[in-house]
Amino acid sequence: MFFVVWPVFGAWISPPHSLEGQVARARASETISEQMFVQIGGVPQWITIKGEDRSNPVVLFLHGGPGDALSPYADSMYVGWDKSFTLVQWDQRGAGRTFTKNGPSIEPTMSVERMAQDGIEVTEFLTTHLHQKKIIILGGSWGSVLGVYMAHARPDLFYAYVGVAQMVNWQEDLSAGYARVLEMAGAAGDQQAITALIAIGPPPWHLVAKWPVYRKWERIYQAKLVTAPPDSMVISPDYASAEEQAQYEAADDFSFLHFWGETLSGPFTKVDLPALGTTFAIPIFIIQGQEDLTAAPVLAKAYFDSIKAPRKQFYLVPGTGHEESATSWAVTLKVLIEQVRPLTLTSAVGSASGVWLIGSPYLMHKEAADRRPEVGV
C-alpha cells in the first residue's frame, strides 16, 4: 500500500536522566499521531490515527452524511478517548480530504458495497500498520449502514460493532419521521408546517426538491424534542481555512446528490439492513437517541430484537435526537470502556442481551426501569 505519513513527535532538547524523565520518554514513544493518504480501493483516502498508547484497542469511526467527515472536529469531540483507545478517522470516498484529493471522477464507484469494502481495506491496513489482530468499528447514521455491511462481510476483523443513531431502512425511517413531525405539528396547531407537509405528501418521494421542505420542519421539531446538552464540535485549526471549509462543503453536497439522487433513488434510498440477514458473528451494541426523528428508535429496536449475535445490548438515550449529544457520547464511551474493551482482552465473549435506558450518570437495566414511567418507545 502507498501512504504518506506526517507523524507528530515531541523533540527532546536534552535526554532526561531521572526515572521520572525516563518513564515520560517511554510513554512519549508509545503515543501515536499520524495523518496520511492510504491507497484504498484504488484511490488515495485520508486517514488520521491518534492515541496515547499505540497498543490500545483501535476504534475506527465511520462518519455519517454521507459526506460529513468527522476529521475536522474529532479533537474536540473525543477529548480523553485516546487514553483508552487509538482513534482512527477516515474521510470516506467522496468526503472530506478524500474528495478534495480525487474530485468527482470517482462518483461511478460510490456504491454502498464498494464503500463497505473500502472500510474493510482500511481495517486491513490498520491491523497491519498498528500490529493489531482486530479492531472495533463505530458507525453513526450513514456510518451505521457501512458498519453493518462490514460486520457481515468480515467478522474476523472486528471485536465488536457499535452503532449510534442506527439506520435500518431509509424509506421506512423517512416515513416514520414524516408521520411523527406531522403529528407534532398537528398537536401544536402549526398550520404553516401542516400545510407544507401535506403539500409534499408522505414518502416515498421521487423528486429531491421535496426533501428540503420536509427537512426544514424535521429540524425545527427535532430541536423542540432535544433536551440533552449538545456535543462539542469545534473545528481543528488544521481544517479551519476558508479553502478547506469550502472543499468540505463541496464534498458534502456532492455526496448528498449522489446518495439521494435527483429522483430520490440513489444508493442510500435503497438501504434495507434486515435484507442482509440478522445473524452476526460478533457482539452488537446499538445506542439510540430516544427523540431521533431521522433514525426512528422503534425501527432500530425492532431490528435489534431480530438480531442473533454472541452478545447484544440496546441503549436508549433520553433527550437526544439524531445528532450526537454530550449525553450520548458519554454513554458511547462508557459502553466502549466497560462493555467492548474487555472483549479485546479475551476471545470469550459469552452470550448476553438486554435493553438499557440511560440515566446520568448510570446505566439502568430495563427491568429496573420498568418500575418508573417510560418515555418514548
Side-chain angles (χ1 to χ4, degrees), residues 17-29:
H17 299 289
S18 67
L19 177 60
E20 181 180 344
Q22 292 173 22
V23 171
R25 187 174 185 178
R27 286 189 59 81
S29 68

Side-chain angles (χ1 to χ4, degrees), residues 206-264:
H206 303 290
L207 186 64
V208 73
K210 292 189 176 184
W211 169 253
V213 177
Y214 167 68
R215 184 62 169 157
K216 170 187 174 180
W217 296 106
E218 183 199 52
R219 285 178 168 170
I220 289 172
Y221 279 94
Q222 182 70 95
K224 294 177 183 294
L225 292 170
V226 170
T227 57
D231 186 40
S232 174
M233 289 187 66
V234 178
I235 194 166
S236 165
D238 291 344
Y239 298 85
S241 71
E243 180 183 11
E244 186 95 30
Q245 291 186 60
Q247 291 168 344
Y248 185 98
E249 292 297 328
D252 194 15
D253 292 344
F254 168 78
S255 292
F256 171 83
L257 288 174
H258 172 75
F259 280 100
W260 267 256
E262 291 290 344
T263 59
L264 291 180

Side-chain angles (χ1 to χ4, degrees), residues 12-355:
W12 294 96
I13 297 175
S14 61
H17 299 289
S18 67
L19 177 60
E20 181 180 344
Q22 292 173 22
V23 171
R25 187 174 185 178
R27 286 189 59 81
S29 68
E30 297 168 356
T31 63
I32 181 168
S33 182
E34 299 177 350
Q35 52 185 352
M36 65 193 82
F37 282 106
V38 180
Q39 198 75 4
I40 298 294
V43 299
Q45 302 198 32
W46 182 252
I47 293 172
T48 68
I49 307 173
K50 296 185 179 182
E52 288 196 1
D53 185 342
R54 63 186 302 137
S55 66
N56 273 333
V58 177
V59 177
L60 171 60
F61 292 84
L62 306 174
H63 66 70
D68 292 338
L70 289 173
S71 303
Y73 306 97
D75 289 346
S76 64
M77 292 177 67
Y78 308 113
V79 174
W81 291 39
D82 57 352
K83 297 181 186 299
S84 301
F85 302 96
T86 297
L87 309 178
V88 179
Q89 300 295 335
W90 160 45
D91 292 11
Q92 299 163 16
R93 187 178 295 248
R97 288 184 174 178
T98 297
F99 173 76
T100 301
K101 184 76 169 179
N102 295 282
S105 63
I106 60 172
E107 183 174 9
T109 69
M110 290 172 59
S111 66
V112 178
E113 293 77 11
R114 174 63 259 177
M115 293 178 70
Q117 180 59 33
D118 284 353
I120 289 169
E121 292 184 27
V122 170
T123 300
E124 290 173 331
F125 164 75
L126 294 172
T127 55
T128 300
H129 184 64
L130 298 174
H131 307 290
Q132 298 272 350
K133 181 180 178 182
K134 301 180 182 182
I135 70 168
I136 302 157
I137 40 176
L138 192 160
S141 190
W142 154 255
S144 73
V145 173
L146 292 186
V148 168
Y149 269 76
M150 291 164 62
H152 274 301
R154 289 295 305 275
D156 58 301
L157 291 174
F158 308 114
Y159 289 113
Y161 164 69
V162 181
V164 181
Q166 180 68 52
M167 302 294 296
V168 176
N169 177 298
W170 189 83
Q171 296 289 354
E172 292 181 8
D173 277 309
L174 182 59
S175 293
Y178 174 90
R180 191 175 181 197
V181 172
L182 183 58
E183 179 184 14
M184 292 177 66
D190 187 344
Q191 195 57 53
Q192 186 180 2
I194 295 168
T195 300
L197 293 169
I198 290 178
I200 62 173
W205 300 316
H206 303 290
L207 186 64
V208 73
K210 292 189 176 184
W211 169 253
V213 177
Y214 167 68
R215 184 62 169 157
K216 170 187 174 180
W217 296 106
E218 183 199 52
R219 285 178 168 170
I220 289 172
Y221 279 94
Q222 182 70 95
K224 294 177 183 294
L225 292 170
V226 170
T227 57
D231 186 40
S232 174
M233 289 187 66
V234 178
I235 194 166
S236 165
D238 291 344
Y239 298 85
S241 71
E243 180 183 11
E244 186 95 30
Q245 291 186 60
Q247 291 168 344
Y248 185 98
E249 292 297 328
D252 194 15
D253 292 344
F254 168 78
S255 292
F256 171 83
L257 288 174
H258 172 75
F259 280 100
W260 267 256
E262 291 290 344
T263 59
L264 291 180
S265 58
F268 198 1
T269 70
K270 296 179 175 65
V271 165
D272 181 14
L273 296 187
L276 299 177
T278 54
T279 299
F280 292 83
I282 62 173
I284 304 294
F285 302 86
I286 294 178
I287 301 166
Q288 208 77 6
Q290 195 167 20
E291 307 297 348
D292 194 333
L293 293 178
T294 302
V298 65
L299 295 179
K301 178 58 168 56
Y303 177 59
F304 168 84
D305 288 341
S306 73
I307 286 172
K308 294 180 180 179
R311 181 177 180 181
K312 65 177 187 176
Q313 295 285 345
F314 186 91
Y315 302 84
L316 199 58
V317 187
T320 296
H322 191 64
E323 301 297 328
E324 300 86 354
S325 68
T327 306
S328 65
W329 270 147
V331 170
T332 303
L333 179 58
K334 188 176 180 70
V335 169
L336 284 170
I337 291 175
E338 297 184 359
Q339 305 295 327
V340 181
R341 199 175 195 279
L343 301 176
T344 70
L345 306 177
T346 175
S347 59
V349 298
S351 178
S353 65
V355 180

Side-chain angles (χ1 to χ4, degrees), residues 357-374:
L357 291 176
I358 309 305
S360 179
Y362 303 106
L363 305 185
M364 182 168 60
H365 194 276
K366 178 65 161 57
E367 291 177 358
D370 281 342
R371 293 194 291 268
R372 72 177 189 185
E374 186 172 330

